[in-house]
Amino acid sequence: SKHSTSCCLFLCGLLGREEQISIEECCSDGHQRGSANQDCTALPLISESTTCRIVQEQCCVTVLEDSMCTTGINMAKERSSCYTDQFSNSCDSKTTKTCCDCCLLGKAAQDHDLPCDHSLALGYQCGLVSRACCLDGASLNDTLGGNGKCAHLCVGNGTCSCFKGFKLRPDAKNCNDINECLLGASNCRLGERCINTEGSFRCQREVSCGTGYELTDSNNCKDINECETGTHNCVPDFECQNTQGSFRCHPKVKCGAGYIQDALGSCIDINECLAQTGPCHPGQVCINSRGSYTCQRISVNCGRGYHLNVEGTRCVDIDECKGPDGACSGHGCINLVGSFRCECAAGYVFNSINRVCEDVNECMHYPGRLCAHKCVNNQGSYTCTCTTGFKLSPDGRNCNDLNECEANPCSQECANVYGSYQCYCRRGYQLSDVDGLTCEDIDECALPTGGHICAFRCHNTGGSFHCSCPVKGYTLAANGRSCQDVDECVTGTHTCAENQSCFNVQGDFRCLSFECPTNYQRIGETTVPTGTIRCMKSCQPNDGPCNRDPVHSLSHTFISMATLRDFTKPEEIVFLRTTVPAYGAYQFGTFDVMFEIQGGNADQAFDVVKRIENGVYVGVVRQVKPIIGPLNLVLKLAMINLNSQGVSHQSVINIHVSVSEFWF
């Protein structure tokens, strides 16, 4: 229209002075970003113009709201329900649910043959959605089965299409009316509102009716009957009465005479004595009652300290000092006209307000000046007391220390201290945590360090302890805690035969006999204490198998080991020393050596590593796993000498290992 054209020229002119971007381009950009579900409040600006930013944001919001509203309308038409866990408290979900609920209202009106243009004050957008769904339902019922497969048009290949102003439903057969008003597709001008119709829309001039009225299709303002629509806020005890543009709430229960009704409908008594001026005659007093009042004659009242005479005509003085107790409760009493005065005894003071003799709290008036420790107030006096550990001195004010040890409160030793006492115990005992008086024996064997007090076994005694060792193979050391091994081989207490050698082990002994096998001769004497013997190969000149055997020497040795109590890292137990120089050359013959365990390695508790010491190779046999005794095993080791042709010769070492039961 001419008006919209001039408006566009004006806005485009505003934009044109800053950038060459039209208002349609700003709106188109907002439409595109809304279709992409972008945040309309944080759009990238395509122009520095404030007008372009507003148009861009509002066009974006329109697309999003139209899409959300269309989703709600389709949900109402397809599911006939708006209850789903997809709705949250976000603004987007509220828009979708609002359109869904309003569409269900329109469908309900159509199902019950009610007019689509109802008078409910649902709001502008909700009214449009409700009317559109109502009209769409009527059209749909008329067309079902009318054109066979398609509700409107069949365009071939089994494809359906709709008339202008309609869109195809998800079932690809039926058509829904396009609500141009909700989608913002109308061309209504400023001051006009869009009213959707079946397949189209119409523009109607906007008229503001104000609160309590609604605009009809005939452009008239109609009063809203809040009492019928249920939009009033009258409580159950009130009834609603409609008025032009508003309503009134009137209480159902009426109050009788002498009562007034409050805003909540409750009946409140009227105090006529306060509400009216002089309801009673002179010489009378007004007394209020529920719903009424009474008037009574005024009588003579005497003040404090006076009472009426016998005739009841005048007030006379009361002698408060008369009577068996008097007004002063045992203290001196002096009557006065209309009053009295008490002469209080020592330790009391007269209270002129209550007119009684009250006790003087000397402890509060003279704090810290009357008693050395505690002051206890009494009626008319006070008493001094002492704290625990003290006794009152003869002067009745000071406190002397009390020697509690004279009463023997402790089970062993007692030390008197000022105001208290302290119990203590002799060596090997500790003071009880329960009463602080009794001395209890200290179980040294149960202390956290008890396992380390004695090497083998700890025995607690009253106030002390003693250690013991295994019955066989050990004796208690001079320190009374450690266990020393008894060397049966030295003391001669072993039972080995003459052809056997005695080997001492921790807590025991072993009898072993080492002999050289065939083709081997014993070299040297048995070493002490390991009992090592060495056998060298001695072959006959024509004995081929013997000469080809790479084993040149056999040796036996013996070691004794304890069961390690705390095994944390490998323990080195045997060193196999060689004369093979490290990094030797081929021209010097033997140039390398290799060590390996060939037998007896139960549970892989041992390994052997090669090391260089003083320029030669040394084989170190290590214990790598804990071994629990008692256990005897023979570890067979091989020391293989290598040269440029391979294995030169090898020596076999048999290590007889004896593991004792204990760690000491």
Side-chain angles (χ1 to χ4, degrees):
S1 65
K2 184 183 297 183
H3 174 74
S4 59
T5 302
S6 62
C7 181
C8 176
L9 292 175
F10 171 71
L11 293 175
C12 292
L14 290 177
L15 294 174
R17 287 196 293 269
E18 297 178 5
E19 299 181 35
Q20 297 300 323
I21 298 177
S22 66
I23 195 71
E24 288 79 11
E25 291 175 327
C26 297
C27 185
S28 177
D29 181 81
H31 272 283
Q32 293 176 2
R33 298 186 185 279
S35 300
N37 287 326
Q38 295 188 17
D39 186 359
C40 295
T41 61
L43 297 177
L45 301 180
I46 62 175
S47 172
E48 297 180 356
S49 170
T50 303
T51 303
C52 182
R53 179 188 62 77
I54 295 173
V55 173
Q56 185 182 10
E57 179 176 337
Q58 293 305 316
C59 289
C60 174
V61 171
T62 299
V63 172
L64 290 179
E65 289 182 347
D66 291 345
S67 176
M68 291 182 286
C69 189
T70 302
T71 301
I73 293 172
N74 291 336
M75 182 181 296
K77 293 180 178 181
E78 295 168 6
R79 301 183 185 179
S80 296
S81 174
C82 298
Y83 293 97
T84 174
D85 54 5
Q86 296 177 354
F87 293 139
S88 63
N89 290 328
S90 66
C91 182
D92 301 349
S93 300
K94 289 181 179 178
T95 302
T96 303
K97 188 174 186 305
T98 298
C99 290
C100 181
D101 289 339
C102 294
C103 185
L104 287 180
L105 290 176
K107 292 182 64 179
Q110 197 279 328
D111 292 340
H112 293 83
D113 294 328
L114 297 176
C116 295
D117 294 323
H118 51 73
S119 59
L120 297 178
L122 299 177
Y124 182 70
Q125 185 185 32
C126 185
L128 293 178
V129 172
S130 174
R131 185 175 184 278
C133 290
C134 177
L135 296 174
D136 178 64
S139 174
L140 181 62
N141 291 336
D142 294 339
T143 57
L144 284 175
N147 293 329
K149 183 178 181 181
C150 298
H152 284 189
L153 298 173
C154 181
V155 297
N157 297 326
T159 302
C160 299
S161 66
C162 300
F163 298 135
K164 182 179 179 181
F166 296 87
K167 62 180 179 181
L168 201 61
R169 295 184 63 176
D171 61 6
K173 296 180 181 181
N174 299 304
C175 297
N176 284 343
D177 171 54
I178 297 176
N179 193 332
E180 294 84 358
C181 300
L182 290 178
L183 299 178
S186 67
N187 58 356
C188 295
R189 296 175 296 179
L190 187 65
E192 296 179 336
R193 69 165 178 151
C194 177
I195 299 176
N196 186 62
T197 61
E198 186 76 11
S200 183
F201 65 94
R202 61 187 176 87
C203 297
Q204 180 175 300
R205 183 172 176 271
E206 186 73 43
V207 177
S208 176
C209 292
T211 305
Y213 296 89
E214 62 179 347
L215 187 66
T216 63
D217 291 339
S218 60
N219 221 27
N220 295 322
C221 291
K222 178 184 177 182
D223 171 58
I224 299 174
N225 191 334
E226 294 84 357
C227 300
E228 292 183 356
T229 59
T231 56
H232 61 84
N233 58 359
C234 297
V235 296
D237 292 337
F238 285 70
E239 57 185 4
C240 176
Q241 179 182 0
N242 186 61
T243 61
Q244 284 296 319
S246 185
F247 62 94
R248 293 288 183 270
C249 296
H250 298 288
K252 297 179 180 180
V253 179
K254 304 300 180 181
C255 296
Y259 293 90
I260 188 172
Q261 204 157 27
D262 63 5
L264 299 178
S266 302
C267 294
I268 308 299
D269 172 57
I270 300 174
N271 191 339
E272 295 84 355
C273 299
L274 298 178
Q276 300 182 19
T277 303
C280 297
H281 297 291
Q284 293 181 330
V285 62
C286 178
I287 301 175
N288 185 63
S289 60
R290 292 188 61 82
S292 183
Y293 67 95
T294 57
C295 294
Q296 290 184 358
R297 181 176 174 272
I298 300 175
S299 60
V300 177
N301 293 322
C302 296
R304 181 177 178 180
Y306 296 89
H307 63 88
L308 283 174
N309 60 2
V310 178
E311 293 79 16
T313 57
R314 62 187 180 89
C315 296
V316 295
D317 174 58
I318 299 174
D319 189 354
E320 293 87 354
C321 297
K322 287 185 177 180
D325 296 330
C328 296
S329 301
H331 297 270
C333 181
I334 301 174
N335 185 58
L336 302 174
V337 178
S339 182
F340 67 96
R341 180 168 56 86
C342 294
E343 294 290 340
C344 300
Y348 293 87
V349 63
F350 183 68
N351 188 327
S352 59
I353 298 176
N354 298 334
R355 309 189 68 78
V356 294
C357 289
E358 295 181 344
D359 172 58
V360 177
N361 191 334
E362 295 87 354
C363 300
M364 182 181 297
H365 281 77
Y366 311 103
R369 295 167 58 185
L370 301 178
C371 301
H373 283 192
K374 295 180 181 179
C375 178
V376 179
N377 184 63
N378 301 324
Q379 285 294 323
S381 184
Y382 66 94
T383 304
C384 294
T385 61
C386 300
T387 57
T388 304
F390 293 89
K391 60 182 178 180
L392 196 64
S393 64
D395 62 8
R397 298 181 60 185
N398 296 306
C399 295
N400 297 331
D401 175 55
L402 178 67
N403 189 351
E404 297 87 353
C405 294
E406 294 178 352
N408 297 321
C410 304
S411 64
Q412 288 189 0
E413 305 295 335
C414 177
N416 184 60
V417 296
Y418 186 72
S420 184
Y421 67 97
Q422 180 64 51
C423 296
Y424 62 96
C425 303
R426 304 182 188 100
R427 183 177 180 180
Y429 293 88
Q430 63 182 0
L431 203 61
S432 171
D433 294 332
V434 178
D435 56 11
L437 304 174
T438 307
C439 291
E440 300 174 344
D441 173 53
I442 298 175
D443 188 352
E444 294 85 355
C445 301
L447 294 175
T449 57
H452 302 284
I453 293 179
C454 299
F456 177 61
R457 188 161 294 155
C458 178
H459 303 274
N460 185 60
T461 60
S464 185
F465 69 97
H466 71 270
C467 301
S468 65
C469 296
V471 177
K472 178 183 177 184
Y474 292 93
T475 182
L476 193 64
N479 61 11
R481 299 187 179 189
S482 303
C483 293
Q484 292 180 340
D485 172 56
V486 176
D487 192 341
E488 294 85 355
C489 299
V490 174
T491 60
T493 56
H494 63 84
T495 58
C496 297
E498 293 183 359
N499 62 341
Q500 292 179 322
S501 297
C502 177
F503 295 94
N504 185 59
V505 298
Q506 295 291 328
D508 203 355
F509 65 91
R510 291 191 64 191
C511 299
L512 298 176
S513 178
F514 300 130
E515 299 294 338
C516 294
T518 306
N519 295 328
Y520 286 87
Q521 292 184 353
R522 188 167 182 170
I523 304 299
E525 296 295 330
T526 302
T527 61
V528 179
T530 60
T532 301
I533 67 168
R534 189 178 183 190
C535 302
M536 295 296 295
K537 186 172 68 173
S538 177
C539 301
Q540 298 297 325
N542 298 327
D543 192 346
C546 179
N547 290 320
R548 288 191 298 272
D549 187 359
V551 179
H552 283 191
S553 68
L554 293 171
S555 61
H556 294 267
T557 187
F558 179 85
I559 62 171
S560 176
M561 296 171 52
T563 297
L564 295 179
R565 182 164 58 179
D566 298 318
F567 187 86
T568 58
K569 62 179 181 178
E571 295 286 338
E572 298 178 351
I573 59 174
V574 177
F575 293 86
L576 304 178
R577 304 187 183 277
T578 71
T579 58
V580 179
Y583 317 112
Y586 288 102
Q587 59 266 29
F588 296 115
T590 300
F591 71 97
D592 199 0
V593 65
M594 182 172 64
F595 302 93
E596 65 179 21
I597 300 176
Q598 294 183 341
N601 192 8
D603 297 330
Q604 303 298 313
F606 300 92
D607 70 355
V608 58
V609 296
K610 187 167 66 174
R611 184 185 297 170
I612 299 175
E613 292 184 2
N614 300 323
V616 296
Y617 291 117
V618 177
V620 181
V621 180
R622 305 184 304 172
Q623 179 185 347
V624 295
K625 290 183 179 179
I627 302 176
I628 307 301
L631 178 66
N632 296 313
L633 56 89
V634 179
L635 196 63
K636 184 178 181 181
L637 303 175
M639 185 169 62
I640 304 171
N641 291 273
L642 305 173
N643 57 21
S644 58
Q645 284 77 33
V647 177
S648 171
H649 62 278
Q650 61 177 314
S651 300
V652 175
I653 303 95
N654 295 294
I655 302 175
H656 297 258
V657 181
S658 178
V659 183
S660 68
E661 180 181 357
F662 308 103
W663 63 272
F664 43 82

